Amino acid sequence: MPPAVPYRLWLGPMAGYTDSAMRQVCHAAGAEASVSEMISAKAVVYRDRKTFSLAHIRPEEGPVALQLFGSEPAVVAEAAARLAESPPGRPPIAIDINMGCPVPKVAGNGEGSALLRDPARCYDVASAVRRALPPDLPLTAKIRLGWDAAHKNAAEVAAALGEAGVSLLFVHGRTRAEMYSGTADWEAIAALCESAPLPIIGNGDIRTPEEACRRMRESGVAGIMVARAAIGNPLLFSGLAAALRGEPVIPPTPGERAAAVLTQLSLAVREKGEKIAVREARKQIACCFSGLPGSAAFRAAVHTAESYDHIRQILTAYANSLSSEG
């Protein structure tokens, strides 16, 4: 069996968000490891150039697992073998199989969370990938609690994946039908921790260091994964890491939060060019100060920004206004 995956604090995969730039700033802030944006197994097999750019890992990102999605065992296995044998950047710490994406264009094609409807298919995909990987490279998977409220079969899926050779399981505490609505069911995650034959990393609604510690303590998970709460707020990981170490949590200042997202944007500009990076960054930076005084006007200004310098000016001015009020 491959070695255990030892990390407790993970940045979760989000298509269109968790690119190299976000992974770098979150790792610098305290994220121990991350999972890449999901990568089409078919596109890897067909050698799509853009797809291979999604699989490029820089040393500054820290430990990264590459996540594949697909439903055909042979195709996913071939893609996994290619990424393991000839990675376009630094080698991944694991190959992850996406069995949780709820969006219609993925699930509607029998991939992502649609696999949860057929635990035998989950086993077939995972076991094919496991056989294709080097013995020392871990295989992980990300799932949800089930397809809908009437079909919460995460325990059955976890058992199948453990038998197939998966080393670690990421579990989002919602069903596919819930998408991202409602509240993540951490009681169900805790129950799964008691029955599953492999370690569980819990995911869903972790927004504060206090929540992270409480979920770790009450559920019995081996670690936590944070995704949406880190959008526009990579320094959340500083507080999370401190709390998990049992140290005092010192909230970042508005200026520190602004500096972190500007660093992320500058890294994205280097990777993708200014036009694309700024366009993609607007949706993240607009979340940076949600709920604070004047944040609506701040978001509106960010959405009109066309350059790095323009965003820097908007961020700096708003952060300074918050600091003066505080």
Side-chain angles (χ1 to χ4, degrees), residues 1-13 32-35 63-67 93-99 122 126 129-130 133 137-144 154 157-172 189 192-193 196-203 216 220-225:
M1 287 292 292
V5 185
Y7 309 105
R8 294 195 304 165
L9 183 54
W10 292 75
L11 169 65
E32 296 175 10
S34 60
V35 179
V64 179
L66 292 178
Q67 185 184 81
I93 59 164
I95 296 296
D96 183 71
I97 305 174
N98 184 308
M99 297 183 175
C122 294
V129 174
R130 179 65 272 166
L133 293 179
L137 182 63
L139 173 63
T140 66
K142 190 169 191 294
I143 70 170
R144 286 180 167 237
V157 171
L161 293 176
E163 185 178 350
V166 170
S167 301
L168 183 72
L169 196 60
F170 304 104
V171 180
H172 185 108
I189 293 176
L192 187 60
C193 287
L198 67 173
I200 302 295
I201 302 294
N203 173 222
M216 285 279 291
V221 292
I224 59 168
M225 172 175 275

Side-chain angles (χ1 to χ4, degrees), residues 117-137:
R117 305 174 82 170
D118 187 353
R121 171 68 72 164
C122 294
Y123 172 86
D124 290 343
V125 172
S127 60
V129 174
R130 179 65 272 166
R131 291 192 299 271
L133 293 179
D136 60 347
L137 182 63

Side-chain angles (χ1 to χ4, degrees), residues 69-73 76 109-111 115 121 125:
F69 74 94
S71 60
E72 300 171 67
V76 184
N109 198 37
E111 302 165 333
L115 289 168
R121 171 68 72 164
V125 172

Side-chain angles (χ1 to χ4, degrees), residues 193-278:
C193 287
E194 295 181 357
S195 65
L198 67 173
I200 302 295
I201 302 294
N203 173 222
D205 299 345
I206 299 293
R207 304 182 185 92
T208 67
E210 294 76 19
E211 283 181 318
C213 289
R214 179 167 62 87
R215 295 307 190 188
M216 285 279 291
R217 183 177 63 251
E218 295 178 353
S219 67
V221 292
I224 59 168
M225 172 175 275
V226 177
R228 287 182 293 165
I231 296 174
N233 186 24
L235 293 186
L236 171 62
F237 281 102
S238 298
L240 294 170
L244 292 181
R245 292 192 301 265
E247 300 173 358
V249 175
I250 303 175
T253 66
E256 289 170 337
R257 292 180 66 174
V261 295
L262 281 174
T263 297
Q264 181 176 336
L265 177 55
S266 67
L267 293 169
V269 169
R270 182 184 69 180
E271 186 83 14
K272 305 174 182 180
E274 185 173 32
K275 183 176 181 180
I276 294 175
V278 168

